Amino acid sequence: MDKEYVGFAALPNQLHRKSVKKGFDFTLMVAGESGLGKSTLINSLFLTNLYEDRQLPEASARLTQTLTIERRGVEIEEGGIKVKLTLVDTPGFGDSVDCSDCWLPVVRFIEEQFEQYLRDESGLNRKNIQDSRVHCCLYFISPFGRGLRPLDVAFLRAVHEKVNIIPVIGKADALMPKETQALKQRIRDQLKEEEINIYQFPDCDSDEDEDFKRQDAEMKESIPFAVVGSCEVVRDGGTRPVRGRRYSWGTVEVENPHHCDFLNLRRMLVQTHLQDLKEVTHDLLYEGYRARCLQSLARPGARDRASRSKLSRQSATEIPLPMLPLAETEKLIREKDEELRRMQEMLEKMQAQMQQSQTQGEQSEAL
Amino acid sequence: MSKGLPEARTDAAMSELVPEPRPKPAVPMKPVSINSNLLGYIGIDTIIEQMRKKTMKTGFDFNIMVVGQSGLGKSTLVNTLFKSQVSRKASSWNREEKIPKTVEIKAVGHVIEEGGVKMKLTVIDTPGFGDQINNENCWEPIEKYINEQYEKFLKEEVNIARKKRIPDTRVHCCLYFISPTGHSLRPLDLEFMKHLSKVVNIIPVIAKADTMTLEEKSEFKQRVRKELEVNGIEFYPQKEFDEDLEDKTENDKIRQESMPFAVVGSDKEYQVNGKRVLGRKTPWGIIEVENLNHCEFALLRDFVIRTHLQDLKEVTHNIHYETYRAKRLNDNGGLPPGEGLLGTVLPPVPATPCPTAE
């Protein structure tokens, strides 16, 4: 009877064990005007305090500020799984009086990550590729406007084919329920009008139960997510403590689905679709970039300096393509460093284990 | 600010400068014993009554401008302030409201009556301000409009055959809506207020303040006040125009504690504790617009309408308008406009006024 049993049903477990050991990395970008609650939401989502030492510049300083790209990394561990989360922030976006082309540094950044990956993939040491590509971009829309502003549209159009966009309405406690619905509908209409492709949450399998399907449909309908963030715990008159914002007229509970879509966002972003976002980034967006790049490389005389300028004129948003392979030794050194670090970690762990078993042995001897 | 007895003024616009109808004063107008045979009583103090009757007959003008990004609740607030639909909201979701490519100026007039007094209210809206990707100089159309009104008034004033009551279209008050980011002013806010605080009374207002908790509100207000001070922006009530100590202490309190007013507007009514109140109903509570624990709308309303309405007009006439007039006369060689040397044509209205002595 064991003849029919081959045993590969255990494959998912093997994959699971491997990924647990390897860890998981994810790069999330947040973009939008300042003051929409981006930092608070990130802190609420990942229960961290990434922005503790942030200094907010004054208005007069921001008059001439250009957009910068900031990266923050944090390691989160939960249930034995380690996630290395990289947050990409875009302070200065939408701040100036003249915001023309302020999205270009962001586009360039995203493409640079693709370019880096392309080089790594085509290089010699592919075992330890660092994936720094942006897997998801949370774009914050103001609740005070009437939908997408011209700047929002310009930004989204510039990046929608290069990164997974999840639109989010920040500080949603500024809106009454009807206003929220109307705003969401307006944004959805505008996205369709402007032909902006946001991240499509995949349909659930047909064999899932009805409850799950209904939940899934509800979640999809609540896009863009109207969120409220808070890192403060409020004790509301004897009831259990909740994370929220206390006003004179009541308390907004961040995790209450009737108050805002925070739970939906967290579920979809972190709990169910983290892997899918990475896959879409790799299979769709990165492949698109790669195909465009290699096609233009394949043109005759593409390595010539003169025709490179021709290339950059034709594809205005594409950065001029570097030659492959490039700076091999630098990369090799980096990768070896990474390996060394990992081996050191393992060594330390083994040492700690040995120490523990030693002290345990001594204790049992002493008794 | 006008007191019980306004000082005698000799210019032609005096008929405009009547005290606004005030609630019943605590002190009676006439001496306690209404005995006209009382030694020393002349009866001059009845002039208040006479002026009041005059105002009620003629009514008065008030022009208020609202400036701010679209969606900050400007029209709703004005409607709430004057308890009538004086501003048409552009917020209907069904209609396709396109953001205009340049700043437009839309002035709509209404006549409101209360307690026998008629007010001709004009609300000047500025759609398109701050909504573009490039907002450089988007305040220029607004500055131009304000100066055009001064020019109109000036032309009427220097006419030989003047109208008995010059129609006053000058902007008496400009409500500037600050977005409640909770961080600080935006560069555009600074630029606008820097340019316009010299030509018009600006009252900064924090819009949609129901998005900030009490601590966030007070921190934000402090930061905004500091930024305005550091950048030398004088909003109304301006320190330099306080007439006496009483004014100064009252205005100081407003300037340093209350302003900018953090407001919430609404035109919907809800039932709270058996009363019908204007408010916003959310799943976590009802925000009452006129409840001082919830927002400062009542403070703004009392400030603009019940206590400082007349002063706003006076400062506009005596200070801002006079500055404009002096500049125009100087430009024209000391002669009133319309009469250039040897009958030359009057130079056009400047889009941007001269930098006043800074």
Side-chain angles (χ1 to χ4, degrees), chain A residues 239-256:
Chain A
T239 53
R240 56 185 176 78
V242 285
R243 273 194 306 142
R245 290 171 61 72
R246 178 181 279 141
Y247 294 110
S248 329
W249 48 87
T251 303
V252 183
E253 295 166 32
V254 166
E255 289 173 357
N256 183 335

Side-chain angles (χ1 to χ4, degrees), chain A residues 35 58-59 62-63 95 97-99 144 146 150 171 173-174 176 179 182 245-252, chain B residues 71 91 131 133-135 180-181 183-185 187 208 210-213 216 227 280-281 284-287 293-294:
Chain A
E58 291 181 343
R62 281 143 69 195
L63 269 170
D95 263 357
V97 178
D98 181 2
C99 298
F144 309 123
R146 288 206 196 93
K171 293 197 173 175
D173 52 349
M176 300 195 289
E179 294 172 340
R245 290 171 61 72
R246 178 181 279 141
Y247 294 110
S248 329
W249 48 87
T251 303
V252 183
Chain B
S91 70
D131 289 327
I133 295 179
N134 183 352
N135 291 308
T181 59
H183 292 176
S184 61
L185 285 177
K208 300 209 167 173
D210 54 340
T211 195
M212 292 191 283
T213 60
E216 291 169 351
E227 268 190 312
R280 289 170 63 73
K281 184 164 182 202
W284 47 91
I286 298 184
I287 305 154
N293 290 326
H294 291 187

Side-chain angles (χ1 to χ4, degrees), chain B residues 191-226:
Chain B
E191 286 296 298
F192 177 87
M193 286 198 269
K194 254 197 228 167
H195 282 88
L196 286 246
S197 55
K198 302 282 183 197
V199 293
V200 72
N201 295 322
I202 295 189
I203 297 182
V205 149
I206 299 174
K208 300 209 167 173
D210 54 340
T211 195
M212 292 191 283
T213 60
L214 277 173
E215 302 86 41
E216 291 169 351
K217 233 187 280 191
S218 70
E219 266 177 35
F220 185 52
K221 280 166 70 151
Q222 254 182 348
R223 234 173 288 143
V224 169
R225 275 196 295 261
K226 188 156 161 288

Side-chain angles (χ1 to χ4, degrees), chain A residues 9-46:
Chain A
L11 187 63
N13 289 348
Q14 296 179 26
L15 277 172
H16 175 83
R17 279 222 316 273
K18 278 226 158 170
S19 53
V20 167
K21 273 208 277 191
K22 203 167 79 153
F24 202 79
D25 55 12
F26 192 81
T27 306
L28 175 69
M29 173 182 272
V30 268
E33 275 182 9
S34 70
L36 290 180
K38 301 190 290 292
S39 322
T40 311
L41 184 75
I42 294 299
N43 285 343
S44 313
L45 267 177
F46 300 106

Side-chain angles (χ1 to χ4, degrees), chain A residues 186-229:
Chain A
R186 176 100 185 99
I187 293 174
R188 283 196 287 257
D189 291 342
Q190 277 177 301
L191 289 172
K192 214 187 308 178
E193 252 175 59
E194 304 283 347
E195 294 178 344
I196 292 169
N197 299 323
I198 58 173
Y199 172 67
Q200 296 297 326
F201 290 90
D203 294 319
C204 48
D205 298 322
S206 47
D207 56 354
E208 298 279 0
D209 60 76
E210 280 306 312
D211 226 17
F212 186 79
K213 276 199 210 161
R214 190 183 41 85
Q215 222 182 38
D216 192 62
E218 260 176 34
M219 286 205 276
K220 290 218 187 93
E221 268 165 30
S222 59
I223 293 169
F225 297 111
V227 292
V228 177

